[in-house]
Amino acid sequence: MGYRSNDIDESNQQNDLGAIARNGREILFQAFNWESHKYDWWRNLERKVPDIAKSGFTSAWLPPASHSFAPEGYLPQNLYSLNSSYGSEHLLKALLQKLKQHKVRAMADIVINHRVGTTQGHGGMYNRYDGIPLSWDEHAVTSCTGGLGNRSTGDNFHGVPNIDHSQQFVRKDITAWLRWLRNSVGFQDFRFDFVRGYSAKYVKEYIEGAKPMFAVGESWDSCNYNGHGLDYNQDSHRQRIINWIDGTGQLSTAFDFTTKGILQEAVKGQFWRLRDPQGKPPGVMGWWPSRAVTFIDNHDTGSTQAHWPFPSYHIMEGYAYILTHPGIPTVFYDHFYDWGNSIHDQIVKLMDIRKRQDIHSRSSIRILEAQANLYSAIIGENVCMKIGDGSWCPTGREWSLATCGHRYAVWQK
């Protein structure tokens, strides 16, 4: 069995940005949803750390910890203030300390595409940041969102000043802030929000400057749809995510929105979608699994926002897929803690099989069946699985049932 990343001493990895991604034995936990700010969140999570660690998660993605105009944290203003609707700086640091004691890395949600201004400047817009740390003027804001900076190097996030990352003073300040989060506050990993808004080369610079142990970007745009629903071929969609990863110098992973989009249609009786024409998985996982962070739902797609939810009746089929497959799987807080003990324990069982059988981000996969009501595959040498209501069993007496549930089963040698 290979070594697990949470057994590795962090000091060995300080100077090696890719070590954790290369090791490939991550299981991430998204430790919040859209409503978490209402529930004394840092304290709530601190109570759950022993269970998070025991279950086998290597990194816990926390909501944005900086002061924000909106309680969820995604309209930041004073980046250096760690008193937020999730709790005080003191409670945050207690949580980070507890995670460290239990050898679970803390992932900071990095919201640097846009920033709410404090005072009016050019054109009467709130595009200055007087009176708080990083007291930038209008030149820090892109010209397309009311500032005196350059045009944006990506898409606009509407209704709020977008940061001009082409300005050297801005990048210097952001890098210093990220280093502070990394070296003083106690975050080890970064999740970059809305990375469509600025060039991937700046993410590369920020990762090189602050040296997180692991980084993932949210590069989310629409899958390819036609008049009848989702296209079978999503190659252009996964290629855009891969181009973004390349733009970061391969230093960041990315959420596999392609797999999410395909999988949530496949479970409705369209499992033929889970094999591409080359016989591989059809998402980013099929092309670059060591950089593909797979997931079922997050605070935007699911939770109370439900912009693009996974069919709730099928989530265990979804987890049976991502937790046995290559890529870097993520489990969502709601499913793990709010959908009942049975779902929690079924997910832990799948995680346990993944670790015991040493499935990792680059494990080989051979897809055996991909038809309307059945998908089956062999992963590595020692695990096979099926999802769907079609009946299927591996041939050979060396296989024994490892776990099963509603419309899924996993076997091991």
Side-chain angles (χ1 to χ4, degrees), residues 334-345:
D334 292 24
H335 300 149
F336 203 62
Y337 284 122
D338 291 346
W339 286 37
N341 290 340
S342 169
I343 299 273
H344 173 281
D345 295 349

Side-chain angles (χ1 to χ4, degrees), residues 134-180:
L134 309 188
S135 50
W136 301 332
D137 67 9
E138 299 93 325
H139 292 90
V141 175
T142 61
S143 58
C144 16
T145 58
L148 293 173
N150 297 313
R151 285 195 65 75
S152 176
T153 55
D155 296 344
N156 287 336
F157 187 94
H158 295 292
V160 58
N162 285 215
I163 295 172
D164 179 9
H165 294 263
S166 72
Q167 305 285 357
Q168 209 269 326
F169 76 92
V170 167
R171 296 201 305 281
K172 181 168 154 289
D173 282 350
I174 288 176
T175 301
W177 175 66
L178 292 170
R179 282 185 180 146
W180 174 73

Side-chain angles (χ1 to χ4, degrees), residues 219-221 223 225 230 234-235 237-238 241 254-267 273-274 280-289 292-297 308 310-311 317-319 321-323 325-329 375:
S219 181
W220 181 18
D221 62 10
C223 285
Y225 289 89
L230 186 73
Q234 296 292 331
D235 286 357
H237 187 265
R238 57 176 163 173
I241 295 176
F255 287 110
D256 191 348
F257 282 92
T258 320
T259 289
K260 149 92 170 147
I262 295 169
L263 185 59
Q264 66 188 28
E265 295 305 315
V267 295
R273 293 181 178 277
L274 293 181
K280 290 177 175 272
V284 180
M285 176 213 290
W287 279 356
W288 204 352
V293 175
T294 52
F295 69 104
I296 301 297
D297 260 329
W308 200 38
F310 202 91
E317 289 162 271
Y319 281 117
Y321 181 86
I322 67 170
L323 287 169
H325 275 52
I328 299 163
Y375 170 88

Side-chain angles (χ1 to χ4, degrees), residues 22-71:
R22 271 199 307 282
N23 174 35
R25 286 164 179 84
E26 300 302 294
I27 304 178
L28 311 182
F29 181 57
Q30 178 174 358
F32 66 101
N33 61 36
W34 194 245
E35 304 295 322
S36 297
H37 61 91
K38 298 173 179 169
Y39 299 102
D40 195 10
W41 203 245
W42 301 146
R43 225 186 234 115
N44 168 49
L45 281 182
E46 193 190 348
R47 290 192 290 269
K48 290 185 161 64
V49 168
D51 183 64
I52 291 168
K54 181 166 70 87
S55 301
F57 293 108
T58 54
S59 180
W61 161 23
L62 304 185
S66 291
H67 162 261
S68 162
F69 238 59

Side-chain angles (χ1 to χ4, degrees), residues 341-384:
N341 290 340
S342 169
I343 299 273
H344 173 281
D345 295 349
Q346 289 177 70
I347 291 172
V348 170
K349 181 79 187 164
L350 288 165
M351 291 170 61
D352 197 48
I353 294 164
R354 182 179 186 87
K355 283 183 300 192
R356 247 197 350 264
Q357 297 296 345
D358 199 35
I359 298 172
H360 51 82
S361 65
R362 290 181 189 74
S363 288
S364 64
I365 173 165
R366 199 160 87 248
I367 298 170
L368 304 173
E369 298 285 350
Q371 40 185 290
N373 66 341
L374 172 67
Y375 170 88
S376 67
I378 295 185
I379 304 94
E381 300 300 315
N382 298 323
V383 173
C384 70

Side-chain angles (χ1 to χ4, degrees), residues 42 82-83 87-95:
W42 301 146
L82 296 177
N83 294 307
S88 66
E89 175 174 0
H90 176 74
L91 289 170
L92 170 65
K93 289 194 164 163
L95 168 62

